[in-house]
Each structure stands twice: as structure tokens, then as C-alpha cells.
């Protein structure tokens, strides 16, 4: 039975380490959800006729000796995306800012649960993380540590391993946007939970590519930014923060070669009516509102008009064809407020530290006892 005792010892030591991490994690006081409110409407898509530039902000290059499954170097990556007409790309290596990336960013996180974040224009790389188990407060603590180091903080692929649930995104604060569309899982319902709670989170869509020569990876998801070609990185930053983005999902197995529908107009007239127009006829146009409910739909058309109702707190446009799905960032009632990092509950933090600390000490002692030799026992 010696092997069983060794397994119990290892399990106890690992569990003790996890408990120790929880013991030093602050407990946050999360506010109740507060839907968008106000008399006017915020519309990020200003302008009579919208112009767009294609982008992908989640690409992995060959780094860390290849253990992160990135296959190509930056020159190859740029060549492929240039050939597909992309205006913006960002190489988001894990825990590393690639100096050859046209846009500085990295993917933070090394937990087995894939609780990751995309950090744009970072000042430094933060390494703190919870590798095995993350409570809501642990996830908030990571966002709190990342917040001062990055100018645009994005929740990455919430649906992947359910790393962030919709309920969690409705409570967490300090993040700027959500990677709603990702080839490892699309997170539209989770996005609506965040928006319904009154947190302004524009959409990003990325193909999360590891091999740019795999046609099933490249252009599976992408972002259209409402900017003309040739805009500066500073203009891009302002556009991302403002929410001037539409996310696309490719319904075909290969990169899109033919023209696909773009929104040519997303307007709010007199704070009473929303007008949508697309560059071609689509199978359906929709407006989604509070709770992810469909507020308006039109079929086989290139336009939709909707009279805003008193209960509408946000409205986000969608368009569907046989080839693509398009999801626009939301128009919101009042100001596009983002929830800040919530305060720490000092009393609960103290109690949590004592409880988890005691559990950690107990587990570590149990684990250590399993490795005592017979001579030690004598």
C-alpha cells in the first residue's frame, strides 16, 4: 500500500498549495447588476457611411521552443494575412510580447482551465496566475493585477472550457472587451450576460490561429474595425475602446474569397429609432437586446428599422448569410460605462485567509506524513 500513501501525499501537498493560494487572495465585494440607463443613446458607429478594415488580434507564432503549438515566425504570419487583405494583426504569444508583432500584445494565463486574457499595448508581462483552480475572486484578482499594465484588457475565449461563465462576466470588473467569437468556442450568451448587467464590453472576433497554413484555422473568425485603411495605431486604440467593431464568423471551411456583407449604416435617429443597412441583401438582420432577447428581425433584406422601446437598455446588430455571421458591438442607453475593479471586502478577506490558511497547513502536514520513512517513525 506504499504507492497509495505516496499518491495521497502528492494529492494532499497539491491541494495544500491550492489552498495556500486562496489564503492570500483578496475577497471582492461585487456590486449588483445595473442595466444601462439614461435618456439618450450611445452609438459607437458614427458617420453616414461606414468604412471598415479587417483585423485579427489572436495569433500564435513559434515561441517557447515550440511547446505552445505556434508553427510559424512573424514574417510568414504577416505574409499570409497580407495576402488575405488584413489591415491589422497582432501576434499574441503566451506570456511574451513579440517584438515583431505589428501591434504589441500578449496572451496572459497559464491555468489548466484556460482562464486567459489578451493584453493590448502592455507595459510589462505579468506572471501571477492560479494554475489549477480559480474562484470568482481569484479571477477578479488577476484582472486587478493586469489592469494597470495594459491599455486594452480583453477577456479571451470565455466558452473554451467555460473559463468565464456569463454570471461571472456580469459581476467582474476592470475589463474592456470580450473575445466573443473564437474558433475554440463562441460566447454570445456570455456576452449578453455582461451587457445585460450594464458593463460596456465591445466585441472582438479572432481565429486564434496556431498554423497560418491550415485553411481551417485562418479567417475562421475576424474583426472588422470601423476605420479607413492607413489609420494609425492610436486611432485603432481609440476605435477599440469606443466599440467600433463587428465580429465575423466564417460558416465555410476555408477563408472567404467572395464579398461578404458589411454594415454600411448603424444609426440612432433622435434617440427613438435604430436604422441598419448592409452592403448586400442578407438572409436575416436582427437586433438583440436586454437578456439576449430578439427585439427586431427582417428577412431577405439589406435594411431594418426599429422603434426603440422604453425597456430597451442596449441593442446590438446581427446579420446572417449562408457564408458568414456578423455581430456588431452594442448601442447602449446612457453612457458606455465599464464596471471598475470592485472593492476588497476586508472582513471576508480576513476570514477567508484564516480558513484557507488552516486548510492549507492541515493538508500539507497530511501530505508530509505520507512521505515519512519507517526509520523516522521509529
Amino acid at each position: 500500500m506504499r504507492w497509495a500513501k505516496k499518491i495521497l501525499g502528492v494529492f494532499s501537498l497539491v491541494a495544500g498549495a491550492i489552498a495556500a493560494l486562496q489564503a492570500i487572495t483578496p475577497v471582492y465585494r461585487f456590486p449588483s447588476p445595473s442595466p444601462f440607463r439614461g435618456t439618450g443613446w450611445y452609438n459607437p458607429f458614427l458617420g453616414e457611411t461606414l468604412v471598415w478594415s479587417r483585423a485579427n488580434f489572436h495569433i500564435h507564432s513559434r515561441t517557447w521552443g515550440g511547446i505552445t503549438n505556434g508553427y510559424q515566425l512573424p514574417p510568414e504570419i504577416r505574409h499570409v494575412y497580407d495576402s488575405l487583405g488584413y489591415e491589422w494583426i497582432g501576434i499574441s504569444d503566451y506570456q511574451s510580447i513579440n517584438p515583431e508583432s505589428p501591434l504589441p500584445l500578449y496572451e496572459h494565463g497559464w491555468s489548466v482551465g484556460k482562464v486567459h486574457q489578451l493584453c493590448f499595448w502592455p507595459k510589462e508581462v505579468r506572471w501571477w496566475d492560479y494554475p489549477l483552480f480559480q474562484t470568482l475572486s481569484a479571477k477578479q484578482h488577476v484582472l486587478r493585477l493586469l489592469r494597470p499594465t495594459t491599455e486594452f484588457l480583453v477577456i479571451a475565449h470565455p466558452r473554451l472550457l467555460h473559463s468565464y461563465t456569463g454570471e461571472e462576466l456580469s459581476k467582474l470588473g476592470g475589463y474592456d472587451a470580450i473575445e466573443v467569437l473564437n474558433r475554440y468556442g463562441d460566447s454570445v450568451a456570455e456576452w449578453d450576460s455582461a451587457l445585460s448587467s450594464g458593463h460596456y464590453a465591445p466585441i472582438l472576433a479572432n481565429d486564434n490561429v496556431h498554423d497560418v497554413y491550415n485553411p481551417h484555422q485562418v479567417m475562421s473568425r475576424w474583426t472588422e474595425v470601423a476605420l479607413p485603411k492607413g489609420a494609425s495605431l492610436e486611432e485603432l486604440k481609440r476605435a477599440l475602446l469606443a466599440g467600433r467593431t463587428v465580429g465575423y464568423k466564417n460558416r465555410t471551411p476555408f477563408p472567404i474569397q467572395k464579398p461578404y456583407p458589411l454594415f454600411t449604416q448603424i444609426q440612432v435617429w433622435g434617440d427613438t429609432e435604430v436604422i441598419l443597412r448592409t452592403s448586400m441583401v442578407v438572409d436575416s438582420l436582427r437586433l438583440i437586446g436586454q437578456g439576449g432577447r430578439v427585439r427586431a428581425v427582417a428577412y431577405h433584406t439589406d435594411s431594418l428599422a426599429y422603434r426603440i422601446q422604453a425597456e430597451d437598455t442596449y441593442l446590438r446588430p446581427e446579420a446572417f448569410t449562408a457564408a458568414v455571421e456578423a455581430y456588431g458591438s452594442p448601442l447602449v442607453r446612457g453612457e458606455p460605462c465599464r464596471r471598475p475593479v470592485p472593492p476588497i471586502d476586508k472582513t471576508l478577506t480576513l476570514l477567508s485567509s484564516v480558513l484557507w490558511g488552516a486548510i492549507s497547513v492541515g493538508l500539507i502536514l497530511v501530505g508530509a506524513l505520507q512521505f515519512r520513512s519507517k526509520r523516522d517513525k521509529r
Side-chain angles (χ1 to χ4, degrees):
M1 297 295 291
R2 187 178 299 175
W3 61 269
K5 295 184 68 175
K6 300 295 186 185
I7 292 175
L8 176 61
V10 171
F11 177 82
S12 297
L13 291 174
V14 171
I18 293 173
L21 278 177
Q22 298 303 319
I24 60 175
T25 299
V27 177
Y28 291 86
R29 189 164 60 248
F30 296 97
S32 300
S34 179
F36 298 106
R37 57 171 56 91
T39 54
W41 278 77
Y42 170 77
N43 176 17
F45 302 105
L46 303 177
E48 289 295 322
T49 302
L50 295 168
V51 294
W52 301 94
S53 55
R54 192 180 303 162
N56 179 42
F57 303 113
H58 198 155
I59 305 168
H60 291 281
S61 70
R62 180 171 177 79
T63 188
W64 298 111
I67 63 173
T68 55
N69 292 328
Y71 290 97
Q72 289 84 30
L73 297 176
E76 295 176 275
I77 292 170
R78 289 198 302 269
H79 172 75
V80 169
Y81 280 97
D82 286 346
S83 69
L84 291 170
Y86 279 72
E87 183 73 10
W88 310 100
I89 65 167
I91 298 174
S92 55
D93 292 330
Y94 296 109
Q95 297 298 135
S96 176
I97 304 170
N98 195 310
E100 295 186 70
S101 174
L103 170 68
L105 78 158
Y106 75 98
E107 185 172 2
H108 173 274
W110 41 278
S111 68
V112 296
K114 294 293 184 180
V115 185
H116 292 178
Q117 307 80 27
L118 295 175
C119 301
F120 288 62
W121 293 281
K123 300 174 184 176
E124 60 180 286
V125 173
R126 281 283 168 93
W127 278 88
W128 179 268
D129 203 1
Y130 297 82
L132 294 177
F133 174 70
Q134 294 198 21
T135 62
L136 180 63
S137 280
K139 293 178 181 180
Q140 183 60 76
H141 192 54
V142 171
L143 294 176
R144 177 194 174 198
L145 295 176
L146 292 175
R147 179 67 280 174
T149 70
T150 176
E151 298 189 50
F152 190 62
L153 180 56
V154 180
I155 300 293
H157 44 58
R159 183 61 64 93
L160 178 59
L161 299 183
H162 300 284
S163 57
Y164 286 96
T165 67
E167 183 179 359
E168 289 173 332
L169 291 176
S170 73
K171 296 176 180 179
L172 294 167
Y175 63 94
D176 295 311
I178 299 174
E179 187 183 51
V180 178
L181 304 181
N182 182 295
R183 69 185 179 88
Y184 289 108
D186 300 320
S187 310
V188 178
E190 291 82 354
W191 184 33
D192 277 316
S193 293
L195 296 175
S196 296
S197 73
H199 184 89
Y200 187 69
I203 187 173
L204 286 188
N206 297 310
D207 55 28
N208 196 354
V209 67
H210 290 72
D211 180 1
V212 297
Y213 295 125
N214 185 334
H216 305 304
Q217 293 187 20
V218 173
M219 208 177 178
S220 60
R221 310 288 189 276
W222 73 92
T223 302
E224 296 283 348
V225 186
L227 279 177
K229 289 179 171 52
S232 67
L233 280 177
E234 187 61 35
E235 289 173 307
L236 174 64
K237 184 191 305 181
R238 291 197 296 266
L240 294 179
L241 284 167
R244 296 172 60 79
T245 53
V246 173
Y248 278 79
K249 176 180 179 177
N250 184 357
R251 287 177 156 181
T252 76
F254 304 105
I256 297 289
Q257 301 295 327
K258 297 180 180 180
Y260 51 85
L262 296 166
F263 285 101
T264 58
Q265 189 177 25
I266 304 174
Q267 287 285 357
V268 179
W269 294 103
D271 292 325
T272 61
E273 189 175 34
V274 174
I275 305 293
L276 303 180
R277 297 188 189 280
T278 54
S279 59
M280 62 179 67
V281 172
V282 297
D283 295 336
S284 64
L285 273 174
R286 302 201 306 178
L287 277 172
I288 307 298
Q290 184 73 16
R293 293 186 293 273
V294 177
R295 305 300 295 159
V297 61
Y299 298 100
H300 307 295
T301 184
D302 61 359
S303 63
L304 181 150
Y306 171 71
R307 177 71 63 173
I308 296 173
Q309 305 299 307
E311 62 268 27
D312 290 325
T313 60
Y314 73 89
L315 294 165
R316 56 173 185 81
E318 296 181 345
F320 298 87
T321 71
V324 298
E325 301 174 10
Y327 300 82
S329 286
L331 293 65
V332 301
R333 190 180 289 277
E335 296 296 323
C337 299
R338 290 180 171 94
R339 199 163 34 246
V341 173
I344 294 173
D345 189 315
K346 295 182 180 179
T347 301
L348 286 180
T349 296
L350 177 60
L351 293 174
S352 176
S353 296
V354 172
L355 176 61
W356 282 108
I359 292 173
S360 175
V361 170
L363 287 169
I364 291 173
L365 286 175
V366 169
L369 287 173
Q370 308 311 309
F371 290 92
R372 289 180 61 191
S373 66
K374 291 183 179 180
R375 181 178 299 176
D376 291 336
K377 293 178 181 177
R378 288 196 297 268

